[in-house]
Amino acid sequence: MTLRADIPDETFTGILAKAFRNTAFVTGFVITLLILAMAILSYVWTPYDVTRLVIADKTQGPSLAHWFGTDHFGRDILAMIMVGARNSIAVALVAVGIGMGVGVPLGAFAAARGGLVDEALMRVNDLVFAFPALLSAIMITAIFGPGAVNAIIAIGIFNIPVFARVARAGALAIWPREFILAARAAGKSSTQISVEHVLPNIATLLLVQGTIQFALGILAEAGLSYLGLGAQPPMPSWGRMLFDAQTRMVVAPWMAIFPGMAIVVTVLGLNLLGDGIADILDPKSRRQR
Amino acid sequence: MTVYLLKRLAIALATLVLASIVVFAVLEILPGDPARLMLGMNASADQVELLRNQMGLNAPLLLRYLHWAGGLASLDFGRSYTYSVPVIDLVRERLAVSLPLALIALALSTLIAIPVGLYSASRRGRVGDTVAMGAAQLGVAVPNFWFALMLIYVFAVWLRLVPAGGFPGWGPGAWPALKSLLLPAVALALPQAAILARVTRSALIEVLNEDYIRTARAKGLPYRAVLWRHALRNAMIPVLTILGLQFAFLLAGTIIIENVFYLPGLGRLVFQAITQRDLIVVESVVMLLVAAVIAVNLLVDLSYAVVDPRLRSRP
């Protein structure tokens, strides 16, 4: 059995009721769901084909036929934003997965072992933090070539120390607790204790950090693809769309406005969701950045 | 205190050395031969080999690292392959753009964030707080380069108040230069200010619940005095921590922002150097930025002691 110390005797329905009264959570949840739905919908339906160039329709303003206007190749901006959402979500989500998958075990291990192992792991963490993340991401994508996969790796690497730090801090708070002592007395190894008792108790922290890193990942991916280092054309990406828009700001400002708003809404939704979850499950927790 | 200082200093130095090894190692595996790049595709293998020898590229790995690291320590970064000038000259020239940009952005962000945080914390839960924090929530979500594009559209294309990009240099006087740094600085500062305002608010709210705040109020101090003298000072540690972290974000942010505004700064230099495989420039600028981040974090650590006298008495 898993002991959950931090959640007082609250029923699932109780938490759910609390969630629905939390404005941040509801807003964030709805936005995130809509963005996800939009990305999934783009696999089966988009208003126009994003790979077909219709030069006759180039740089048209928003209209009934093209809600968000068209770009310099006559492609529909709305359709491109829908397809671009896939790329943003995929890159950011897998990058969070990498960060959690490597960072959490490292952090939990450091907390369980303590002493020299802990100190060494944290110093390596400090080392990674000393590199401005975006600069290193640019270097990584430049070394291995631009593209979505390398963008994932570049962003994912910098999620590792973040999750390691959060997992370690959370685990350190759990280790002195009595139920851990009980588990030890029962003869469980520190790995078993970490997995069975520590992890479930820091899951909330990790979930909240996960949504924050997801949002940061979307921003980072947009930055990389703006610089031409993310997903390559013809695959639409929000950052790349902004790059294309920059030189055409005077004639077609909508080319810049709508993709940017897509990024803002997505990141806002995820941040609200993270805030909401933190509020509901642990009113005392504070966001860490 | 002295032990604390020495320990922090030692850690900072060790991090710096490790970082230099990482940078050196990473750039060793970069594909592309700089000698071949300099001479062009038509050069013969002999010519390339000769240049490789001249550039010291054939020396053993450890020797090359020590030579490079020694050069860094004495600010002798070597010569750029593509610009054929000493890297230190390039850096100095570009720093004249990037450093003022980062400093103006940092100042702007602090000047916006601290008052907003104070305001929000002192009117917690009321309309003003909700509006300010809503704006901050939005600010966190805005990518700085998109915000930059919007600023260009409004202030440069539409109102024609400031140039849309480029940098006239400091030669024609400070005003034209500052004018062209204004939009980039605002674009860099706003998202940072949003984060900082949120941190300031939550740190202040925590402090405002403390007993000594009630005591200060009880002895008749006006609310304003309590807020500025007692609360803000005690809330400084988390605020300083975030400020230190933001410095790294700012430096990285300049890479994108300088590209948006065509500013000849360090960020643009390193981005171009990466695409042109100008390894010496990349190595030097990256190390410089990393050293700056480490130095700022050390400074933040030290400033804790200034802000919090309790830390001073600690062994």
Side-chain angles (χ1 to χ4, degrees), chain B residues 231-254:
Chain B
L232 188 60
R233 200 184 162 110
N234 279 293
M236 270 330 265
I237 289 213
V239 173
L240 277 172
T241 310
I242 296 296
L243 260 179
L245 285 177
Q246 286 199 331
F247 186 74
F249 277 106
L250 269 180
L251 283 179
T254 56

Side-chain angles (χ1 to χ4, degrees), chain A residues 191-268:
Chain A
T191 315
Q192 265 178 317
I193 294 177
S194 286
V195 174
E196 290 171 24
H197 302 294
V198 176
L199 276 186
N201 277 302
I202 61 172
T204 319
L205 271 181
L206 297 176
L207 185 65
V208 171
Q209 196 64 42
T211 57
I212 294 171
Q213 295 311 120
F214 192 173
L216 287 177
I218 299 242
L219 285 175
E221 193 281 330
L224 283 180
S225 49
Y226 172 79
L227 291 175
L229 299 170
Q232 296 298 298
M235 174 75 187
S237 71
W238 294 346
R240 187 80 204 174
M241 289 170 78
L242 289 177
F243 175 78
D244 288 336
Q246 186 173 358
T247 49
R248 301 175 178 90
M249 285 281 280
V250 182
V251 284
W254 53 86
M255 277 178 68
I257 292 171
F258 294 109
M261 288 201 343
I263 300 173
V264 173
V265 170
T266 309
V267 175
L268 186 67

Side-chain angles (χ1 to χ4, degrees), chain A residues 69-227:
Chain A
T70 60
D71 76 350
H72 54 297
F73 291 131
R75 288 175 296 183
D76 184 63
I77 304 265
L78 175 61
M80 289 178 77
I81 288 179
M82 286 175 71
V83 178
R86 286 184 214 162
N87 174 58
S88 285
I89 292 169
V91 169
L93 203 60
V94 179
V96 169
I98 293 175
M100 273 198 186
V102 183
V104 173
L106 278 179
F109 181 67
R113 274 299 175 85
L116 260 175
V117 176
D118 184 27
E119 185 73 13
L121 276 171
M122 286 305 113
R123 288 290 81 81
V124 174
N125 242 359
D126 285 351
L127 178 66
V128 181
F129 273 119
F131 287 85
L134 185 70
L135 174 64
S136 316
I138 289 172
M139 277 174 63
I140 290 172
T141 41
I143 295 169
F144 298 106
V149 175
N150 291 333
I152 291 174
I153 295 170
I155 300 168
I157 286 179
F158 289 90
N159 279 338
I160 295 174
V162 176
F163 283 104
R165 195 176 262 198
V166 172
R168 175 180 173 270
L172 280 179
I174 302 294
W175 270 96
R177 303 282 278 267
E178 275 147 8
F179 63 90
I180 299 287
L181 196 67
R184 277 197 156 160
K188 287 190 177 175
S189 71
S190 62
T191 315
Q192 265 178 317
I193 294 177
S194 286
V195 174
E196 290 171 24
H197 302 294
V198 176
L199 276 186
N201 277 302
I202 61 172
T204 319
L205 271 181
L206 297 176
L207 185 65
V208 171
Q209 196 64 42
T211 57
I212 294 171
Q213 295 311 120
F214 192 173
L216 287 177
I218 299 242
L219 285 175
E221 193 281 330
L224 283 180
S225 49
Y226 172 79
L227 291 175

